[in-house]
Amino acid sequence: MFEALQYDFIQNAIISGVLVSIAAGIIGSLVIANKITFLAGGIAHSSYGGIGLAIFLGVPVLFGATIFAIATAVIISLLTLKNRNRIDAIIGIMWAFGMALGIIFVDLTPGYNVDLMSYLFGSIIAVSKEDLIYLVILDFFIITLVLLFYKEILAVSYDSEFAQLRGINVKFFYTLILILAALSVVGAIKVVGLILVIALLTIPTYLAEMFVKKLSSMMILSSIIATLFTLIGLCISYYFDISSGASIIVVGVISLLLFKFLGKK
């Protein structure tokens, strides 16, 4: 693996993997704490509509996916905040609509022949300098907002009713968490793809929960675990010439099962 470090695409893959892991660790902790895993999954798959729209309009894919994902997050927030009984139906509709819309836009794009599988399952070796800039900005944005509003996010995540009584704008911070999840999903497109991104957001946090209970500690440990999964998955992908996204997730699932088994013992 060390001899491969001389190649720019390998360097970009490692850097992007670490940057995505930081975002995944922080946002994954919020996703688990707020019990919105299904919502994050719905946003992830809905983002495919933004990819298709970007391809159709001829704009950068990350830009189209970002705008679409943020819009989806806001819509889901408005529809689910006070209508939790219908949350599964709402997510299912948004999920299907986004995927269908993306497919239609791609079909309508004349002469488009790029492999869309890379967006669904990731293609970390195709990460560009522009993607790295996006990920650096994303991590800076997430870390800054979490540091600024940690107390409010903590209160909303664990007891929204108490937070509201304390005068915290629950609707705003609930929407903010969903938007940050949407941005993290877009950032992880090239690393693990839209299909597998929810696993990268949740598996490291499930593991971190076994060792820490404090939200801030969970964010840090989840980021470290996600980074380890990513680097190990990249090594396996390189040596066996298999999909990097799938390798990363398989490493994560096996690790989770192993620790669960050892925990019971």
PDB file of all heavy atoms in Angstrom, residues 167-186:
ATOM      1  N   GLY A 167     -36.825  27.658  26.238  1.00  0.00           N
ATOM      2  CA  GLY A 167     -36.798  28.735  25.267  1.00  0.00           C
ATOM      3  C   GLY A 167     -35.943  28.462  24.037  1.00  0.00           C
ATOM      4  O   GLY A 167     -35.686  29.377  23.241  1.00  0.00           O
ATOM      5  N   ILE A 168     -35.522  27.225  23.875  1.00  0.00           N
ATOM      6  CA  ILE A 168     -34.701  26.863  22.708  1.00  0.00           C
ATOM      7  C   ILE A 168     -35.615  26.637  21.508  1.00  0.00           C
ATOM      8  O   ILE A 168     -36.674  26.003  21.627  1.00  0.00           O
ATOM      9  CB  ILE A 168     -33.879  25.592  22.999  1.00  0.00           C
ATOM     10  CG1 ILE A 168     -32.876  25.870  24.123  1.00  0.00           C
ATOM     11  CG2 ILE A 168     -33.141  25.120  21.750  1.00  0.00           C
ATOM     12  CD1 ILE A 168     -32.122  24.642  24.598  1.00  0.00           C
ATOM     13  N   ASN A 169     -35.225  27.152  20.378  1.00  0.00           N
ATOM     14  CA  ASN A 169     -36.014  27.004  19.143  1.00  0.00           C
ATOM     15  C   ASN A 169     -35.816  25.581  18.599  1.00  0.00           C
ATOM     16  O   ASN A 169     -34.916  25.314  17.810  1.00  0.00           O
ATOM     17  CB  ASN A 169     -35.567  28.041  18.108  1.00  0.00           C
ATOM     18  CG  ASN A 169     -36.505  28.099  16.919  1.00  0.00           C
ATOM     19  OD1 ASN A 169     -37.203  27.138  16.594  1.00  0.00           O
ATOM     20  ND2 ASN A 169     -36.532  29.228  16.243  1.00  0.00           N
ATOM     21  N   VAL A 170     -36.659  24.668  19.046  1.00  0.00           N
ATOM     22  CA  VAL A 170     -36.526  23.252  18.700  1.00  0.00           C
ATOM     23  C   VAL A 170     -36.652  23.039  17.194  1.00  0.00           C
ATOM     24  O   VAL A 170     -35.902  22.273  16.595  1.00  0.00           O
ATOM     25  CB  VAL A 170     -37.586  22.407  19.450  1.00  0.00           C
ATOM     26  CG1 VAL A 170     -37.562  20.954  18.960  1.00  0.00           C
ATOM     27  CG2 VAL A 170     -37.337  22.468  20.945  1.00  0.00           C
ATOM     28  N   LYS A 171     -37.602  23.735  16.581  1.00  0.00           N
ATOM     29  CA  LYS A 171     -37.825  23.589  15.138  1.00  0.00           C
ATOM     30  C   LYS A 171     -36.574  23.951  14.353  1.00  0.00           C
ATOM     31  O   LYS A 171     -36.189  23.246  13.412  1.00  0.00           O
ATOM     32  CB  LYS A 171     -38.995  24.470  14.706  1.00  0.00           C
ATOM     33  CG  LYS A 171     -39.386  24.320  13.254  1.00  0.00           C
ATOM     34  CD  LYS A 171     -40.606  25.174  12.934  1.00  0.00           C
ATOM     35  CE  LYS A 171     -41.031  25.020  11.482  1.00  0.00           C
ATOM     36  NZ  LYS A 171     -42.235  25.842  11.180  1.00  0.00           N
ATOM     37  N   PHE A 172     -35.918  25.042  14.746  1.00  0.00           N
ATOM     38  CA  PHE A 172     -34.713  25.496  14.047  1.00  0.00           C
ATOM     39  C   PHE A 172     -33.587  24.471  14.171  1.00  0.00           C
ATOM     40  O   PHE A 172     -32.946  24.109  13.178  1.00  0.00           O
ATOM     41  CB  PHE A 172     -34.252  26.845  14.600  1.00  0.00           C
ATOM     42  CG  PHE A 172     -32.899  27.273  14.102  1.00  0.00           C
ATOM     43  CD1 PHE A 172     -32.760  27.824  12.838  1.00  0.00           C
ATOM     44  CD2 PHE A 172     -31.775  27.123  14.902  1.00  0.00           C
ATOM     45  CE1 PHE A 172     -31.508  28.223  12.365  1.00  0.00           C
ATOM     46  CE2 PHE A 172     -30.518  27.504  14.443  1.00  0.00           C
ATOM     47  CZ  PHE A 172     -30.383  28.063  13.170  1.00  0.00           C
ATOM     48  N   PHE A 173     -33.324  24.005  15.382  1.00  0.00           N
ATOM     49  CA  PHE A 173     -32.196  23.101  15.593  1.00  0.00           C
ATOM     50  C   PHE A 173     -32.474  21.697  15.049  1.00  0.00           C
ATOM     51  O   PHE A 173     -31.553  21.006  14.604  1.00  0.00           O
ATOM     52  CB  PHE A 173     -31.819  23.057  17.077  1.00  0.00           C
ATOM     53  CG  PHE A 173     -31.095  24.290  17.536  1.00  0.00           C
ATOM     54  CD1 PHE A 173     -31.747  25.251  18.289  1.00  0.00           C
ATOM     55  CD2 PHE A 173     -29.782  24.512  17.179  1.00  0.00           C
ATOM     56  CE1 PHE A 173     -31.095  26.403  18.688  1.00  0.00           C
ATOM     57  CE2 PHE A 173     -29.109  25.655  17.567  1.00  0.00           C
ATOM     58  CZ  PHE A 173     -29.773  26.607  18.326  1.00  0.00           C
ATOM     59  N   TYR A 174     -33.728  21.284  15.079  1.00  0.00           N
ATOM     60  CA  TYR A 174     -34.100  20.007  14.456  1.00  0.00           C
ATOM     61  C   TYR A 174     -33.851  20.075  12.949  1.00  0.00           C
ATOM     62  O   TYR A 174     -33.273  19.154  12.351  1.00  0.00           O
ATOM     63  CB  TYR A 174     -35.569  19.718  14.740  1.00  0.00           C
ATOM     64  CG  TYR A 174     -36.119  18.475  14.080  1.00  0.00           C
ATOM     65  CD1 TYR A 174     -35.779  17.205  14.522  1.00  0.00           C
ATOM     66  CD2 TYR A 174     -37.015  18.577  13.009  1.00  0.00           C
ATOM     67  CE1 TYR A 174     -36.300  16.071  13.925  1.00  0.00           C
ATOM     68  CE2 TYR A 174     -37.539  17.445  12.408  1.00  0.00           C
ATOM     69  CZ  TYR A 174     -37.176  16.195  12.870  1.00  0.00           C
ATOM     70  OH  TYR A 174     -37.694  15.079  12.265  1.00  0.00           O
ATOM     71  N   THR A 175     -34.234  21.196  12.339  1.00  0.00           N
ATOM     72  CA  THR A 175     -33.990  21.395  10.905  1.00  0.00           C
ATOM     73  C   THR A 175     -32.500  21.491  10.617  1.00  0.00           C
ATOM     74  O   THR A 175     -32.013  20.943   9.622  1.00  0.00           O
ATOM     75  CB  THR A 175     -34.695  22.675  10.413  1.00  0.00           C
ATOM     76  OG1 THR A 175     -36.085  22.597  10.720  1.00  0.00           O
ATOM     77  CG2 THR A 175     -34.519  22.849   8.908  1.00  0.00           C
ATOM     78  N   LEU A 176     -31.766  22.175  11.483  1.00  0.00           N
ATOM     79  CA  LEU A 176     -30.317  22.305  11.314  1.00  0.00           C
ATOM     80  C   LEU A 176     -29.633  20.944  11.332  1.00  0.00           C
ATOM     81  O   LEU A 176     -28.752  20.676  10.506  1.00  0.00           O
ATOM     82  CB  LEU A 176     -29.740  23.191  12.421  1.00  0.00           C
ATOM     83  CG  LEU A 176     -28.219  23.388  12.408  1.00  0.00           C
ATOM     84  CD1 LEU A 176     -27.788  24.109  11.136  1.00  0.00           C
ATOM     85  CD2 LEU A 176     -27.761  24.150  13.652  1.00  0.00           C
ATOM     86  N   ILE A 177     -30.041  20.088  12.242  1.00  0.00           N
ATOM     87  CA  ILE A 177     -29.455  18.746  12.319  1.00  0.00           C
ATOM     88  C   ILE A 177     -29.718  17.967  11.036  1.00  0.00           C
ATOM     89  O   ILE A 177     -28.826  17.289  10.506  1.00  0.00           O
ATOM     90  CB  ILE A 177     -30.013  17.983  13.546  1.00  0.00           C
ATOM     91  CG1 ILE A 177     -29.484  18.609  14.835  1.00  0.00           C
ATOM     92  CG2 ILE A 177     -29.629  16.501  13.488  1.00  0.00           C
ATOM     93  CD1 ILE A 177     -30.168  18.109  16.095  1.00  0.00           C
ATOM     94  N   LEU A 178     -30.937  18.075  10.500  1.00  0.00           N
ATOM     95  CA  LEU A 178     -31.263  17.386   9.253  1.00  0.00           C
ATOM     96  C   LEU A 178     -30.467  17.961   8.075  1.00  0.00           C
ATOM     97  O   LEU A 178     -30.022  17.213   7.196  1.00  0.00           O
ATOM     98  CB  LEU A 178     -32.754  17.493   8.971  1.00  0.00           C
ATOM     99  CG  LEU A 178     -33.678  16.632   9.835  1.00  0.00           C
ATOM    100  CD1 LEU A 178     -35.129  16.812   9.412  1.00  0.00           C
ATOM    101  CD2 LEU A 178     -33.297  15.164   9.758  1.00  0.00           C
ATOM    102  N   ILE A 179     -30.264  19.274   8.065  1.00  0.00           N
ATOM    103  CA  ILE A 179     -29.477  19.889   6.991  1.00  0.00           C
ATOM    104  C   ILE A 179     -28.024  19.427   7.064  1.00  0.00           C
ATOM    105  O   ILE A 179     -27.403  19.118   6.039  1.00  0.00           O
ATOM    106  CB  ILE A 179     -29.566  21.426   7.069  1.00  0.00           C
ATOM    107  CG1 ILE A 179     -30.973  21.897   6.672  1.00  0.00           C
ATOM    108  CG2 ILE A 179     -28.518  22.080   6.169  1.00  0.00           C
ATOM    109  CD1 ILE A 179     -31.193  23.387   6.842  1.00  0.00           C
ATOM    110  N   LEU A 180     -27.468  19.368   8.263  1.00  0.00           N
ATOM    111  CA  LEU A 180     -26.094  18.886   8.428  1.00  0.00           C
ATOM    112  C   LEU A 180     -25.976  17.423   7.995  1.00  0.00           C
ATOM    113  O   LEU A 180     -24.977  17.025   7.383  1.00  0.00           O
ATOM    114  CB  LEU A 180     -25.649  19.046   9.880  1.00  0.00           C
ATOM    115  CG  LEU A 180     -25.474  20.480  10.390  1.00  0.00           C
ATOM    116  CD1 LEU A 180     -25.070  20.480  11.861  1.00  0.00           C
ATOM    117  CD2 LEU A 180     -24.437  21.218   9.555  1.00  0.00           C
ATOM    118  N   ALA A 181     -27.010  16.637   8.302  1.00  0.00           N
ATOM    119  CA  ALA A 181     -27.026  15.240   7.849  1.00  0.00           C
ATOM    120  C   ALA A 181     -27.062  15.181   6.329  1.00  0.00           C
ATOM    121  O   ALA A 181     -26.362  14.357   5.709  1.00  0.00           O
ATOM    122  CB  ALA A 181     -28.232  14.512   8.437  1.00  0.00           C
ATOM    123  N   ALA A 182     -27.848  16.057   5.717  1.00  0.00           N
ATOM    124  CA  ALA A 182     -27.947  16.102   4.257  1.00  0.00           C
ATOM    125  C   ALA A 182     -26.594  16.450   3.629  1.00  0.00           C
ATOM    126  O   ALA A 182     -26.167  15.841   2.645  1.00  0.00           O
ATOM    127  CB  ALA A 182     -28.998  17.118   3.830  1.00  0.00           C
ATOM    128  N   LEU A 183     -25.908  17.436   4.194  1.00  0.00           N
ATOM    129  CA  LEU A 183     -24.596  17.839   3.680  1.00  0.00           C
ATOM    130  C   LEU A 183     -23.569  16.718   3.839  1.00  0.00           C
ATOM    131  O   LEU A 183     -22.723  16.503   2.960  1.00  0.00           O
ATOM    132  CB  LEU A 183     -24.120  19.098   4.406  1.00  0.00           C
ATOM    133  CG  LEU A 183     -24.930  20.371   4.149  1.00  0.00           C
ATOM    134  CD1 LEU A 183     -24.440  21.506   5.030  1.00  0.00           C
ATOM    135  CD2 LEU A 183     -24.841  20.775   2.680  1.00  0.00           C
ATOM    136  N   SER A 184     -23.643  15.997   4.946  1.00  0.00           N
ATOM    137  CA  SER A 184     -22.721  14.873   5.170  1.00  0.00           C
ATOM    138  C   SER A 184     -22.970  13.758   4.162  1.00  0.00           C
ATOM    139  O   SER A 184     -22.028  13.109   3.695  1.00  0.00           O
ATOM    140  CB  SER A 184     -22.876  14.338   6.595  1.00  0.00           C
ATOM    141  OG  SER A 184     -22.573  15.342   7.538  1.00  0.00           O
ATOM    142  N   VAL A 185     -24.231  13.539   3.852  1.00  0.00           N
ATOM    143  CA  VAL A 185     -24.588  12.531   2.845  1.00  0.00           C
ATOM    144  C   VAL A 185     -23.963  12.881   1.504  1.00  0.00           C
ATOM    145  O   VAL A 185     -23.355  12.036   0.841  1.00  0.00           O
ATOM    146  CB  VAL A 185     -26.123  12.422   2.712  1.00  0.00           C
ATOM    147  CG1 VAL A 185     -26.509  11.708   1.429  1.00  0.00           C
ATOM    148  CG2 VAL A 185     -26.714  11.701   3.911  1.00  0.00           C
ATOM    149  N   VAL A 186     -24.090  14.140   1.104  1.00  0.00           N
ATOM    150  CA  VAL A 186     -23.527  14.579  -0.170  1.00  0.00           C
ATOM    151  C   VAL A 186     -22.009  14.431  -0.152  1.00  0.00           C
ATOM    152  O   VAL A 186     -21.398  13.994  -1.136  1.00  0.00           O
ATOM    153  CB  VAL A 186     -23.918  16.048  -0.456  1.00  0.00           C
ATOM    154  CG1 VAL A 186     -23.210  16.557  -1.707  1.00  0.00           C
ATOM    155  CG2 VAL A 186     -25.425  16.161  -0.629  1.00  0.00           C
TER     156      VAL A 186
END
